[in-house]
Amino acid sequence: MKLIVGLGNPDGKYKNTYHNVGFSVVDMFAKKNGLKFSKNKCKALIAMGEDYILAKPQTYMNLSGDSVYELKKYFKVPLSDILIVLDDIDMPKGRIRFRFTGSAGTHNGLRDIVNKVGITPRLRVGIDKDTSMKLADYVLSEIDLSSKEIMNESYNTACDIIEKFITGEIKEDITINIKN
């Protein structure tokens, strides 16, 4: 059983923000596979696939480790079978990176997971950074109209990588640059 965790903030006002990219990716993956998030378990909304669980922690970003810890324990999933899907301000829009290990970098949600659960595979989706804004203001801002197309392509590519993670096809780290 694989556990795919999209990171984001549960409040509706964050729905289309850069910081909710993880939620957006797992939402798209669920939709493509005919699944709905209908259960609230281990401080997360979950959707069950045949050989995987999709989860959206409801703890807010900076406490994501609380939910992931409970999900790991409840479903007895080894660290190597947990994939964290998240936004990354240190990568440009249109870049997607899958890694089996690594640091949390500048991402507080991933840092909380690493501290409470351990190092897991991660799928980072680039969101760029707007140096004219404070970091918190940028990541919590709505995805601008000019970026929607590249972000949607990123989500689709991320869904393909999730599928390959679930089936065990990924054997090494991957970086993909989508042309805009």
PDB file of all heavy atoms in Angstrom, residues 80-93:
ATOM      1  N   SER A  80       9.462   4.422   2.842  1.00  0.00           N
ATOM      2  CA  SER A  80       9.772   4.380   1.408  1.00  0.00           C
ATOM      3  C   SER A  80       8.524   4.340   0.531  1.00  0.00           C
ATOM      4  O   SER A  80       8.603   4.590  -0.672  1.00  0.00           O
ATOM      5  CB  SER A  80      10.660   3.176   1.095  1.00  0.00           C
ATOM      6  OG  SER A  80       9.978   1.972   1.423  1.00  0.00           O
ATOM      7  N   ASP A  81       7.356   4.057   1.114  1.00  0.00           N
ATOM      8  CA  ASP A  81       6.101   4.001   0.363  1.00  0.00           C
ATOM      9  C   ASP A  81       5.208   5.209   0.606  1.00  0.00           C
ATOM     10  O   ASP A  81       4.030   5.208   0.244  1.00  0.00           O
ATOM     11  CB  ASP A  81       5.337   2.717   0.704  1.00  0.00           C
ATOM     12  CG  ASP A  81       5.995   1.485   0.111  1.00  0.00           C
ATOM     13  OD1 ASP A  81       6.783   1.624  -0.847  1.00  0.00           O
ATOM     14  OD2 ASP A  81       5.726   0.376   0.608  1.00  0.00           O
ATOM     15  N   ILE A  82       5.765   6.245   1.233  1.00  0.00           N
ATOM     16  CA  ILE A  82       5.031   7.494   1.457  1.00  0.00           C
ATOM     17  C   ILE A  82       5.599   8.547   0.522  1.00  0.00           C
ATOM     18  O   ILE A  82       6.800   8.827   0.543  1.00  0.00           O
ATOM     19  CB  ILE A  82       5.163   7.972   2.921  1.00  0.00           C
ATOM     20  CG1 ILE A  82       4.610   6.926   3.891  1.00  0.00           C
ATOM     21  CG2 ILE A  82       4.456   9.320   3.104  1.00  0.00           C
ATOM     22  CD1 ILE A  82       4.885   7.233   5.356  1.00  0.00           C
ATOM     23  N   LEU A  83       4.742   9.132  -0.306  1.00  0.00           N
ATOM     24  CA  LEU A  83       5.157  10.196  -1.222  1.00  0.00           C
ATOM     25  C   LEU A  83       4.499  11.497  -0.776  1.00  0.00           C
ATOM     26  O   LEU A  83       3.274  11.571  -0.663  1.00  0.00           O
ATOM     27  CB  LEU A  83       4.738   9.871  -2.661  1.00  0.00           C
ATOM     28  CG  LEU A  83       5.050  10.944  -3.708  1.00  0.00           C
ATOM     29  CD1 LEU A  83       6.548  11.188  -3.827  1.00  0.00           C
ATOM     30  CD2 LEU A  83       4.459  10.551  -5.060  1.00  0.00           C
ATOM     31  N   ILE A  84       5.315  12.519  -0.540  1.00  0.00           N
ATOM     32  CA  ILE A  84       4.818  13.838  -0.164  1.00  0.00           C
ATOM     33  C   ILE A  84       4.830  14.715  -1.413  1.00  0.00           C
ATOM     34  O   ILE A  84       5.858  14.825  -2.095  1.00  0.00           O
ATOM     35  CB  ILE A  84       5.703  14.485   0.932  1.00  0.00           C
ATOM     36  CG1 ILE A  84       5.893  13.532   2.125  1.00  0.00           C
ATOM     37  CG2 ILE A  84       5.122  15.831   1.349  1.00  0.00           C
ATOM     38  CD1 ILE A  84       4.628  13.142   2.849  1.00  0.00           C
ATOM     39  N   VAL A  85       3.699  15.336  -1.729  1.00  0.00           N
ATOM     40  CA  VAL A  85       3.566  16.217  -2.892  1.00  0.00           C
ATOM     41  C   VAL A  85       3.428  17.645  -2.371  1.00  0.00           C
ATOM     42  O   VAL A  85       2.546  17.923  -1.556  1.00  0.00           O
ATOM     43  CB  VAL A  85       2.333  15.841  -3.745  1.00  0.00           C
ATOM     44  CG1 VAL A  85       2.266  16.715  -4.985  1.00  0.00           C
ATOM     45  CG2 VAL A  85       2.348  14.358  -4.111  1.00  0.00           C
ATOM     46  N   LEU A  86       4.310  18.540  -2.834  1.00  0.00           N
ATOM     47  CA  LEU A  86       4.351  19.883  -2.265  1.00  0.00           C
ATOM     48  C   LEU A  86       4.805  20.921  -3.270  1.00  0.00           C
ATOM     49  O   LEU A  86       5.349  20.596  -4.318  1.00  0.00           O
ATOM     50  CB  LEU A  86       5.288  19.900  -1.052  1.00  0.00           C
ATOM     51  CG  LEU A  86       6.763  19.615  -1.320  1.00  0.00           C
ATOM     52  CD1 LEU A  86       7.625  20.396  -0.337  1.00  0.00           C
ATOM     53  CD2 LEU A  86       7.050  18.124  -1.184  1.00  0.00           C
ATOM     54  N   ASP A  87       4.576  22.170  -2.898  1.00  0.00           N
ATOM     55  CA  ASP A  87       5.041  23.312  -3.676  1.00  0.00           C
ATOM     56  C   ASP A  87       6.502  23.578  -3.347  1.00  0.00           C
ATOM     57  O   ASP A  87       6.985  23.203  -2.286  1.00  0.00           O
ATOM     58  CB  ASP A  87       4.203  24.550  -3.346  1.00  0.00           C
ATOM     59  CG  ASP A  87       4.288  24.928  -1.879  1.00  0.00           C
ATOM     60  OD1 ASP A  87       3.666  24.237  -1.045  1.00  0.00           O
ATOM     61  OD2 ASP A  87       4.990  25.908  -1.555  1.00  0.00           O
ATOM     62  N   ASP A  88       7.214  24.242  -4.268  1.00  0.00           N
ATOM     63  CA  ASP A  88       8.609  24.591  -4.021  1.00  0.00           C
ATOM     64  C   ASP A  88       8.913  25.961  -4.615  1.00  0.00           C
ATOM     65  O   ASP A  88       8.927  26.123  -5.832  1.00  0.00           O
ATOM     66  CB  ASP A  88       9.538  23.535  -4.621  1.00  0.00           C
ATOM     67  CG  ASP A  88      10.979  23.693  -4.162  1.00  0.00           C
ATOM     68  OD1 ASP A  88      11.432  24.842  -3.965  1.00  0.00           O
ATOM     69  OD2 ASP A  88      11.657  22.676  -3.992  1.00  0.00           O
ATOM     70  N   ILE A  89       9.177  26.928  -3.731  1.00  0.00           N
ATOM     71  CA  ILE A  89       9.489  28.288  -4.199  1.00  0.00           C
ATOM     72  C   ILE A  89      10.893  28.403  -4.761  1.00  0.00           C
ATOM     73  O   ILE A  89      11.221  29.395  -5.404  1.00  0.00           O
ATOM     74  CB  ILE A  89       9.313  29.342  -3.078  1.00  0.00           C
ATOM     75  CG1 ILE A  89      10.260  29.038  -1.928  1.00  0.00           C
ATOM     76  CG2 ILE A  89       7.884  29.460  -2.641  1.00  0.00           C
ATOM     77  CD1 ILE A  89      10.552  30.231  -1.055  1.00  0.00           C
ATOM     78  N   ASP A  90      11.715  27.416  -4.516  1.00  0.00           N
ATOM     79  CA  ASP A  90      13.097  27.467  -4.990  1.00  0.00           C
ATOM     80  C   ASP A  90      13.258  26.885  -6.390  1.00  0.00           C
ATOM     81  O   ASP A  90      14.373  26.782  -6.894  1.00  0.00           O
ATOM     82  CB  ASP A  90      14.014  26.740  -3.994  1.00  0.00           C
ATOM     83  CG  ASP A  90      14.050  27.450  -2.644  1.00  0.00           C
ATOM     84  OD1 ASP A  90      14.104  28.698  -2.628  1.00  0.00           O
ATOM     85  OD2 ASP A  90      13.984  26.761  -1.619  1.00  0.00           O
ATOM     86  N   MET A  91      12.148  26.508  -7.014  1.00  0.00           N
ATOM     87  CA  MET A  91      12.159  26.020  -8.395  1.00  0.00           C
ATOM     88  C   MET A  91      11.196  26.871  -9.216  1.00  0.00           C
ATOM     89  O   MET A  91      10.160  27.299  -8.709  1.00  0.00           O
ATOM     90  CB  MET A  91      11.722  24.552  -8.469  1.00  0.00           C
ATOM     91  CG  MET A  91      12.662  23.590  -7.788  1.00  0.00           C
ATOM     92  SD  MET A  91      12.334  21.832  -8.125  1.00  0.00           S
ATOM     93  CE  MET A  91      10.577  21.685  -8.146  1.00  0.00           C
ATOM     94  N   PRO A  92      11.523  27.091 -10.480  1.00  0.00           N
ATOM     95  CA  PRO A  92      10.623  27.883 -11.325  1.00  0.00           C
ATOM     96  C   PRO A  92       9.328  27.123 -11.628  1.00  0.00           C
ATOM     97  O   PRO A  92       9.283  25.889 -11.564  1.00  0.00           O
ATOM     98  CB  PRO A  92      11.435  28.103 -12.600  1.00  0.00           C
ATOM     99  CG  PRO A  92      12.410  26.983 -12.634  1.00  0.00           C
ATOM    100  CD  PRO A  92      12.722  26.651 -11.199  1.00  0.00           C
ATOM    101  N   LYS A  93       8.306  27.865 -11.965  1.00  0.00           N
ATOM    102  CA  LYS A  93       7.066  27.244 -12.419  1.00  0.00           C
ATOM    103  C   LYS A  93       7.399  26.400 -13.645  1.00  0.00           C
ATOM    104  O   LYS A  93       8.179  26.813 -14.495  1.00  0.00           O
ATOM    105  CB  LYS A  93       6.032  28.314 -12.784  1.00  0.00           C
ATOM    106  CG  LYS A  93       5.547  29.090 -11.589  1.00  0.00           C
ATOM    107  CD  LYS A  93       4.657  30.251 -12.008  1.00  0.00           C
ATOM    108  CE  LYS A  93       4.366  31.110 -10.794  1.00  0.00           C
ATOM    109  NZ  LYS A  93       3.973  32.462 -11.161  1.00  0.00           N
TER     110      LYS A  93
END
